[in-house]
Amino acid sequence: MAATAFAAASPPAAVLSGSRLPAPAPGSASHRAPVLLLPPPPRRSFSSLPISLSSSQPRDHCRFSSLRARATSSSEESSGSGDELLADLKEKWDSIENKSTVLLYGGGAIVAVWLSSVVVGAINSVPLLPKIMELVGLGYTGWFVYRYLLFKDSRKELVNDIEALKKKIAGTGE
């Protein structure tokens, strides 16, 4: 059986999956007593269904056929919404007077994302700095939750701040 580490042959040799490995010399320091190789532990099933080892049951007996769902959509709806989206985007692009500025801002945004990726990669290569940054982020997240999300009044304040920022960006308010 392949469960033993040494075979009972006249020259000692390790047996592993049916192949023989040369054994160390008897006088060497690496010569040790035979070791029993155990098989891996059986997999545990977290299912509440009983497990049967007989082959008479099909393997699909644990599957739940009542939980199957199908996602369907008609091609008319998806193409219609896609056409509407493209038409809306084309209309907005045509209404822009200074297209070169928009392209410049878009290119600048792409360069900014690339540059921030390079900076984060450089910070990540410093040995202790990533863990410190994780702690800073965790601390800021905790503060933000305490300051804006924990209490009802502070949530209202956050919503008002976001609405004021939206108006400021869109230029429709103050």
Side-chain angles (χ1 to χ4, degrees):
M1 183 176 196
T4 59
F6 288 97
S10 58
V15 176
L16 184 64
S17 300
S19 63
R20 291 181 168 253
L21 301 174
S28 70
S30 63
H31 183 70
R32 295 188 181 151
V35 177
L36 180 65
L37 297 176
L38 299 175
R43 290 188 175 188
R44 294 183 180 232
S45 172
F46 295 106
S47 170
S48 61
L49 297 174
I51 297 175
S52 173
L53 297 177
S54 68
S55 62
S56 63
Q57 289 182 339
R59 299 194 114 236
D60 296 338
H61 74 280
C62 292
R63 294 188 184 173
F64 296 103
S65 62
S66 63
L67 297 178
R68 292 182 185 168
R70 290 185 184 173
T72 60
S73 67
S74 65
S75 61
E76 297 167 0
E77 293 176 8
S78 62
S79 66
S81 64
D83 292 340
E84 290 175 12
L85 178 67
L86 288 175
D88 188 36
L89 286 175
K90 185 177 181 191
E91 178 184 325
K92 287 186 179 186
W93 180 254
D94 290 339
S95 67
I96 295 174
E97 294 176 13
N98 201 355
K99 293 181 172 91
S100 62
T101 305
V102 173
L103 292 175
L104 187 64
Y105 282 150
I110 291 172
V111 168
V113 167
W114 171 77
L115 187 62
S116 64
S117 172
V118 169
V119 169
V120 168
I123 288 174
N124 200 23
S125 67
V126 177
L128 192 58
L129 210 50
K131 295 298 179 185
I132 292 172
M133 290 296 160
E134 284 182 23
L135 287 175
V136 168
L138 199 62
Y140 181 77
T141 302
W143 173 83
F144 184 84
V145 166
Y146 176 75
R147 172 68 176 90
Y148 289 111
L149 302 178
L150 201 56
F151 304 109
K152 186 175 182 179
D153 295 335
S154 61
R155 285 192 297 267
K156 287 181 181 178
E157 180 185 348
L158 177 64
V159 169
N160 291 337
D161 288 346
I162 291 173
E163 291 300 324
L165 183 63
K166 283 182 186 177
K167 288 178 182 177
K168 188 176 179 182
I169 291 173
T172 59
E174 307 166 312

